Amino acid sequence: MKTILLIALLSCQWWGSKAQNKNKMESLKANTAAISEILETRYFKGIYEGDIALLSTVYHPGTLLFGDVKGQPYAKNLEQYLDGVKNRQSPKASGKPFKGEIQDIRVVNSIAVAEVKVTMYDFVYQEFLSFHQIDGKWLLVNKMIADIADHAVIER
């Protein structure tokens, strides 16, 4: 009798852990898909069209942006960045090639990092975008960029 109860208990725990793992995997896939959707339909599109209203929906108001552009330090707050986007000719209006591509998305609980490459004007930006899920919405909270147009990228 004890053996039967022990087997039943272990079976329930095994099935329960399988269900938890399945739920975690489904949640991970859903979160990765949500971030991918944000990048494709709002981030890349907003940059390409110079649409600051659309871009504003992607960012947390306190977002900071850092990196280097043509070897020069780059540091802006969100307001400065959006003002720059607003006052430049958009890649769409310039007629020059534009490409945004997602290279990787890593999600851990309510945080995530997306690695993307954006080619526009004479720049090729390697970007690391930090996201945080706040009130059920994924928001970009930090942006790191490096212009790699004239440099080889070190692969992992």
Side-chain angles (χ1 to χ4, degrees):
M1 184 66 162
K2 288 181 183 179
T3 304
I4 293 172
L5 287 174
L6 181 60
I7 291 171
L9 179 63
L10 291 174
S11 295
C12 288
Q13 286 179 337
W14 181 76
W15 284 108
S17 69
K18 283 191 71 114
Q20 285 178 342
N21 286 340
K22 183 178 178 187
N23 289 341
K24 285 181 183 178
M25 288 300 294
E26 288 173 0
S27 178
L28 178 64
K29 286 179 183 178
N31 286 324
T32 302
I35 293 168
S36 180
E37 176 76 10
I38 289 166
L39 291 169
E40 295 289 349
T41 63
R42 293 191 274 156
Y43 183 73
F44 294 142
K45 184 177 180 185
I47 293 171
Y48 175 65
E49 295 177 356
D51 185 340
I52 62 167
L54 184 60
L55 277 175
S56 294
T57 68
V58 174
Y59 289 95
H60 181 275
T63 300
L64 298 175
L65 302 89
F66 295 98
D68 66 78
V69 177
K70 298 287 181 202
Q72 298 301 307
Y74 179 95
K76 295 185 178 186
N77 63 33
L78 182 59
E79 183 180 340
Q80 292 167 324
Y81 169 72
L82 292 175
D83 189 57
V85 171
K86 182 173 100 177
N87 291 307
R88 72 171 186 221
Q89 183 182 38
S90 71
K92 181 179 181 180
S94 76
K96 292 188 176 186
F98 176 90
K99 183 176 182 182
E101 64 183 289
I102 299 169
Q103 296 182 318
D104 190 28
I105 298 173
R106 298 180 140 233
V107 178
V108 178
N109 298 329
S110 66
I111 63 170
V113 174
E115 183 177 356
V116 303
K117 187 158 69 170
V118 176
T119 304
M120 58 187 237
Y121 308 118
D122 297 325
F123 302 99
V124 179
Y125 294 116
Q126 189 73 32
E127 301 182 357
F128 296 93
L129 309 172
S130 299
F131 286 84
H132 187 208
Q133 192 176 39
I134 301 171
D135 296 328
K137 289 176 43 180
W138 285 102
L139 294 173
L140 203 159
V141 296
N142 183 262
K143 177 175 175 175
M144 303 279 295
I145 67 169
D147 177 18
I148 60 169
D150 297 329
H151 304 285
V153 176
I154 298 172
E155 297 290 328
R156 298 183 234 158

